[in-house]
Amino acid sequence: MIDLYTWTTPNGRKISIMLEEIGLPYKVMPVDTNKGQQFEATFLTISPNNKIPAIVDHDAPGGPLSVFESGAILVYLADKSGQLLAASGPARYKALEWTFWQVGGLGPMLGQLGFFVMRSKERSPEAIERFTTEAVRLFTVMERRLSHSPYLAGADYSIADIAAYPWAAAAVPLVRQSAAEAFGEKPALSAWLERVGARAAVGAGMAVPKV
Ligand SMILES: N[C@@H](CCC(=O)N[C@@H](CS)C(=O)NCC(=O)O)C(=O)O
């Protein structure tokens, strides 16, 4: 059994989607980040960066193992299950490339955009413009990639698609509306959102945690 520490956010949903895809049983441990539960001492022993998601695998070889950082968790679960990440060779590195592109680029930039548009107490046009421009650039990178291959890593659906989907599903409609001209047409990205969103495991993972 795996304990999944998560909340109703894109980074958390990457891992519930992955667990649904690979079919490993898991127990949802909600961490309400709006109430500051990510700073509680017990959670810090599992996630020293005070953020969700994190997991504890009670069946790991050698005893219970905690893993934090969504990219590391996706790789761990892929290696444990032998699914959604090639064990070696070019396909593995293509999937890792796009997974870390998401973790280091798409996620943080969209996170900052969301903060300045929806949560900041002061309106900062410069910050909104900077992160909108970066969001459009990153979605253009996705569009280019997806017009050559059905999935981010290439021919096969992988952890890279799982990493990007919850963020893109949340942000594409907003950026398409707020920066319509710059966003333009993104047919390959739209088709990918539909293709990935239609998977049963993605639907189930996106509904976790139930609050
Ligand atoms: N690099 C981390 C980012 C995780 C992250 O930003 N988690 C957010 C929710 S999406 C969080 O826990 N926020 C609470 C806080 O910042 O205090 C990952 O990919 O796991």
Side-chain angles (χ1 to χ4, degrees), residues 20-31:
E20 294 287 338
E21 290 282 5
I22 61 181
L24 279 183
Y26 65 102
K27 185 169 159 201
V28 178
M29 315 286 278
V31 178

Side-chain angles (χ1 to χ4, degrees), residues 30 34 36 44 48 52 65-67 77 81 84 102 111 114 119 123 140 149 155-156 158 160 168 172 178 183:
N34 299 319
L44 277 194
I52 63 95
L65 176 69
S66 62
V67 186
L77 293 174
S81 65
L84 300 174
Q102 189 289 317
R119 298 177 60 185
R123 198 177 151 75
T140 305
S149 63
D156 298 320
S158 76
V172 162
S178 66
F183 189 87

